[in-house]
Structure formats: structure tokens, C-alpha cells
Amino acid sequence: MFLFFLSSGLFLGWSLGANDASNVFGTAVGSKMVRFRTAAICCSIFILLGAVISGAGASHTLGKLGSVNAIAGAFIVALSAATSVYSMTKLGYPVSTSQAIVGAIIGWNFFSGSLTDYHTLSRIVVTWIVCPTLSAIIALILYKALVFVISRIKIDMFRLDSMTRYGLIVMGAFGAYSLGANNIANVMGVFIPVSPFADISVFGLFKLTSTQQLFFIGGVAIGVGVLTYSRKVMETVGEGIMNLSPIAALVVVSAHSIVLFLFASQGLEAFLKHHGLPTIPLVPVSSSQAIVGAVIGIGLLKRGKGIRWRVLGGIGSSWVVTPIIAALVSFISLFFLQNVFEQKTYRPVPYAITSEAMARIQKKGISLEDAEGMIGTEFSNAENFNRALRNLKNLKPKDRKFILTSAEIDHMEITVEKLETIGFETDWITKQEKNNLEKLEGRKFKHKWQIDEALAELSPHWQPIENKKKYNESLKHKMSHIYDKFRYSNK
């Protein structure tokens, strides 16, 4: 059943490859400098590498927007995004897969009563403006610099043509890697919370996490989309907005690649943080917006001459329509799948200020004097509980978020039967960590934070470490496995 439901993610990956490959090699193919077949093969290989090696960064931000907790729901979210992207691809428009998946997740949030993290949403939406703007600025600077260098060293035309051709291939490969690293979160991000895969060791040489396995499958789907259906959109980007010279084409794909890399690189984020500099958010940005922004940057450098504004207007309209279509399709499809086909599209998550949650909240120093009527009352979902919290006086947003985390009900029990199903060494947990879990055998928990604290008391291995992002993400991934393994319903 997981493989069946995963098919929508594969369809979305195929749609992304068909649509977004144009952003990497469209200008090269459109300027007749690189053959379509060469571009498609190179693009497919490097997208796969970027997805598996560097795809984790942007996926965490997307997960904060909404955590789809049922496989049927993830199927609909991916299918809704894929349908909207495919529709625009048929029309020849380079749309934003990022916008499509964001719209589909918001549709799921509304249907399931889950909270939409508006802080994360605002960060993503801001990138929809920053991304094309930054790409246009970088394209302007690169074009000016490249023209200056060429005019000074006086390269003959044949050699310049050859160097430009190789430059387009090299930068296209870099752009494909960046595309895979940044946009694989759009394809497989919603399946991460419900993935059945365990971490595996490949011949003892290297380890593939469950997320990397998902990203590999998604990367293959993107590659197939590139090879089978990307030519039409490549022609729109390469020739439709404005005619580009080979040098301009090289600048456009370079600017696009740099922007995608900036928003996907965990190494760059760590470097900036280490030196006390402002970090760039790891967000799945739109490669379509990056490439169009770069093309416009070149066009503005030439005072707008040659820009086909009608085509550009159509592309802009498709960017506005895509997330709206995805959200509506997601909401309606979830209704039909759950009520007509009787599939579980989300796992209900109730909230209640239990005695345990109350003690934790008071320990934090948060006053709930006005919440007497709420204490002990169970709310069916996060949206209803958050609405009740908003009615309380003098409650700060960060305090409300802490209360939400403390009051989330998630029944778990550590049983011998489930402990026996856990492997170690090549699996997601070590033998020592399994021994820690065995010490909790027979215990029941109402909240996730209770099992977190219980394990942290047994060993420092279960405690997060400040400024150790990779370690903390690995711990979070491990705890997610534990929640899924020992969860049960008390109904």
C-alpha cells in the first residue's frame, strides 16, 4: 500500500523533472549551444546526486509548515501538487513546484484541523519575492563582469564559442545538483513522517537514511521526467521570454544555480552561523522563479528590449494560480478519499491540558489562571485548541506554542513485543540505545515529551546538544521512529 500511495510522489517528481529541467538547461538548448539529449542526460544524473547527498536541508523547513501524518493524506497532497504542475506544464509554463506543494499542504492542514505555521509560511512566501529578485541582481553582476573580462582578454570567436558551450554544461550540472538538493523536499517531503524505510548500511561503506532512500526514489522520478517530457518547457524558457545570446544563456543558468545552492546548502548555513553572520533560510525555493528572474535581469540590462511581456505575464499568472489550485484540489480530494473511499487521510491528534502537561507548563513559569475551564477538556485538533488559547489574556505567542507542544496527546507504551521487532547496528538504533528503551518496558506515556524526558534521564545520548544541528536532527529522526513504533490508541 505504501508503494501505491508513493506513486503520487513519483508523479510529482516526474512533473518537476518535466517542468524544472528547463530552468537548468532551457537557455542552453534554446540558444542552440547544447543538444537536448545531452542536456537531459546530464541534468538527470546531477539531480539524483543533489537529491541524495544534499536534499535534507530544505525538507526540514517544509516539514514545519505541516506534518502530514497519514500515508493516504501524503498521497493526496503530492497528487494535488503534481496535478497543478502537470496542468501548467501542458500549457508550456515554467511554474513553481514549491508553490504547488505549499498550497497542497495548506489544503491538508485546513481539512485535518492542523495548525499552519504562519511564521514558516511567511519565510517561504518571502523567498518567492527574494528568489527572482536575487537571481536578477546576480545575473546583472555576472553579465557585466563576464563582458568586461571577454573584452579585455580578446578571445577569438571559435574559442569563445567552445568555452561557452562547456561552461553551459558545467553550470547546468551545478544547477541540476542544486535543483535536486533544493526541490527534492517538494517531491518527497510529505512522505518523510510516514516513511516505512529504516536506515541501512550499504556493504559497510556508507549509510543511507530512510529519508535518503525516499530522496533517491524521488530523484529517479525527476530524472525520468527530464528525459521524457521536458522539451516543450525548455523551449518556452530558452526562447519564449526573450532571445538570449550564448553568453547571456551562460549567465542566466549560473545565476539560477547560485540562488538554488544558497537556499539549499547546510554547509553554507553552518559557516555563516559559525562566523556570526546572517544565515540564509533553507527553504525549497522555485527554480522557475530563479531562472525567470535571471532572464529579466539580462533584459533589464538591455532596457527591456526583446522581453516578451505577454509571455512573462502568463508565467506570472501561473505562479499566482498554481498554489490556489493545489490547495483546492487537495482539500476536495481529501474529502472524497476519506468519505467516499473510506481511507484514513489523517491521524486525529487531540489536545488536553492534563495534570502532567499542567505541571510542565507551570515549571516553565507560564500562568494559566484564566484557563480553568480548559483544564482536563479534550480538544479534537490543534486548530480548536489554539483557538481556545487565543481567548486567554496575557499569553505570549511563544508561551502558546509551548502549551500546544505540552498538551498534544500521543499515547505510547513500551512493550516486550514491540521491543523485539527493533534491530540495531545497521538499523536506525544502536544496541546501547535499545537497552535504554528496554529499561522503560511496561511504561505508558500520554505525551511525546514524556518519553523524551524519560530517555534523556537514562543517557546523555538522548539529549539534544546546543549548536549541534546535525546531531539534533538525527536525534529527532530517531525519536520519530520511536513514536511510530510504540504508539497505540486508547479508544
Side-chain angles (χ1 to χ4, degrees):
M1 286 300 293
F2 177 77
L3 292 176
F4 170 76
F5 285 127
L6 189 64
S7 63
S8 65
L10 301 180
F11 178 34
L12 178 57
W14 179 86
S15 300
L16 187 147
N19 193 283
D20 286 12
S22 62
N23 305 328
V24 179
F25 277 104
T27 51
V29 173
S31 61
K32 313 299 182 186
M33 293 295 287
V34 179
R35 291 185 303 170
F36 170 76
R37 184 179 178 183
T38 302
I41 293 173
C42 182
C43 187
S44 301
I45 293 171
F46 281 90
I47 280 177
L48 183 60
L49 291 173
V52 176
I53 298 172
S54 304
S59 65
H60 295 297
T61 300
L62 197 63
K64 293 176 184 177
L65 182 63
S67 182
V68 183
N69 60 16
I71 185 63
F75 168 79
I76 289 297
V77 168
L79 182 63
S80 303
T83 301
S84 59
V85 172
Y86 176 71
S87 300
M88 294 302 172
T89 302
K90 285 284 288 183
L91 296 174
Y93 290 124
V95 298
S96 169
T97 311
S98 302
Q99 290 177 317
I101 197 68
V102 166
I105 289 174
I106 291 174
W108 183 86
N109 286 347
F110 276 109
F111 182 80
S112 64
S114 300
L115 287 178
T116 297
D117 188 333
Y118 288 102
H119 174 68
T120 299
L121 180 60
S122 65
R123 290 177 66 195
I124 294 174
V125 171
V126 166
T127 65
W128 295 350
I129 301 170
V130 172
C131 175
T133 305
L134 183 60
S135 187
I137 293 170
I138 292 174
L140 281 167
I141 296 170
L142 287 178
Y143 188 81
K144 282 281 191 180
L146 197 57
V147 169
F148 176 81
V149 170
I150 291 172
S151 65
R152 288 294 183 272
I153 59 178
K154 298 179 180 179
I155 306 174
D156 65 82
M157 291 301 296
F158 289 106
R159 188 178 179 187
L160 179 61
D161 183 80
S162 178
M163 291 176 65
T164 304
R165 193 183 306 275
Y166 283 115
L168 283 167
I169 294 174
V170 170
M171 293 308 298
F174 173 49
Y177 183 93
S178 301
L179 175 64
N182 190 277
N183 275 217
I184 191 64
N186 298 333
V187 176
M188 288 292 160
V190 293
F191 293 96
I192 292 175
V194 293
S195 172
F197 299 134
D199 298 353
I200 59 173
S201 177
V202 182
F203 305 114
L205 299 175
F206 58 91
K207 187 177 181 180
L208 278 178
T209 66
S210 64
T211 300
Q212 286 178 315
Q213 293 169 58
L214 275 175
F215 286 178
F216 176 82
I217 296 171
V220 171
I222 296 172
V224 173
V226 173
L227 293 168
T228 59
Y229 209 74
S230 63
R231 185 186 289 269
K232 184 175 181 180
V233 183
M234 276 197 188
E235 291 172 353
T236 298
V237 171
E239 300 174 322
I241 299 175
M242 66 175 290
N243 293 323
L244 295 171
S245 67
I247 295 296
L250 175 60
V251 167
V252 164
V253 73
S254 299
H256 153 271
S257 304
I258 291 170
V259 169
L260 258 65
F261 180 77
L262 291 176
F263 285 97
S265 175
Q266 290 177 294
L268 177 62
E269 183 195 42
F271 174 82
L272 293 174
K273 185 179 291 185
H274 179 73
H275 289 83
L277 299 172
T279 60
I280 299 173
L282 299 180
V283 177
V285 295
S286 169
S287 62
S288 300
Q289 292 176 335
I291 203 74
V292 170
V295 172
I296 293 173
I298 298 296
L300 293 177
L301 192 61
K302 299 179 179 181
R303 298 182 180 180
K305 294 179 180 178
I307 295 180
R308 299 183 176 94
W309 295 103
R310 181 173 295 181
V311 173
L312 191 60
I315 293 172
S317 299
S318 70
W319 289 350
V320 175
V321 170
T322 298
I324 298 173
I325 292 176
L328 291 174
V329 171
S330 177
F331 187 91
I332 295 170
S333 300
L334 286 165
F335 177 84
F336 274 96
L337 191 65
Q338 179 154 303
N339 294 284
V340 178
F341 296 99
E342 298 183 348
Q343 292 292 318
K344 189 176 181 180
T345 57
Y346 67 93
R347 175 174 55 81
V349 180
Y351 287 76
I353 303 178
T354 61
S355 56
E356 297 90 344
M358 189 65 180
R360 185 175 190 246
I361 293 167
Q362 289 177 336
K363 186 178 179 181
K364 185 73 172 178
I366 301 172
S367 175
L368 287 178
E369 294 179 359
D370 300 329
E372 290 84 359
M374 292 176 58
I375 297 173
T377 303
E378 186 171 296
F379 295 81
S380 60
N381 56 53
E383 186 59 48
N384 291 339
F385 184 62
N386 190 52
R387 192 179 299 116
L389 288 177
R390 286 200 195 99
N391 294 327
L392 301 181
K393 298 177 181 178
N394 303 319
L395 198 61
K396 299 177 182 178
K398 65 176 182 178
D399 293 338
R400 187 165 66 243
K401 187 175 181 179
F402 184 82
I403 295 171
L404 277 161
T405 303
S406 301
E408 180 183 346
I409 301 293
D410 201 350
H411 293 281
M412 286 168 281
E413 182 178 8
I414 312 298
T415 63
V416 174
E417 294 78 14
K418 291 184 177 180
L419 282 168
E420 289 176 349
T421 64
I422 297 178
F424 49 87
E425 294 178 353
T426 59
D427 207 338
W428 55 272
I429 193 170
T430 65
K431 188 173 183 178
Q432 180 183 355
E433 290 167 341
K434 184 181 177 182
N435 290 337
N436 294 147
L437 276 172
E438 288 174 344
K439 293 178 181 178
L440 300 179
E441 192 270 318
R443 288 187 58 179
K444 294 183 179 181
F445 303 91
K446 290 182 182 178
H447 308 280
K448 290 177 180 176
W449 56 266
Q450 288 180 306
I451 196 170
D452 293 352
E453 291 181 355
L455 286 170
E457 288 176 2
L458 292 173
S459 170
H461 290 292
W462 299 99
Q463 299 172 9
I465 302 174
E466 190 176 355
N467 297 325
K468 294 287 185 179
K469 184 176 181 180
K470 190 173 182 180
Y471 176 87
N472 293 336
E473 286 174 354
S474 176
L475 177 59
K476 185 179 178 181
H477 172 72
K478 196 169 296 183
M479 292 307 302
S480 179
H481 271 298
I482 290 173
Y483 304 148
D484 292 338
K485 177 67 69 175
F486 297 103
R487 179 180 289 119
Y488 75 93
S489 174
N490 70 329
K491 300 296 184 183

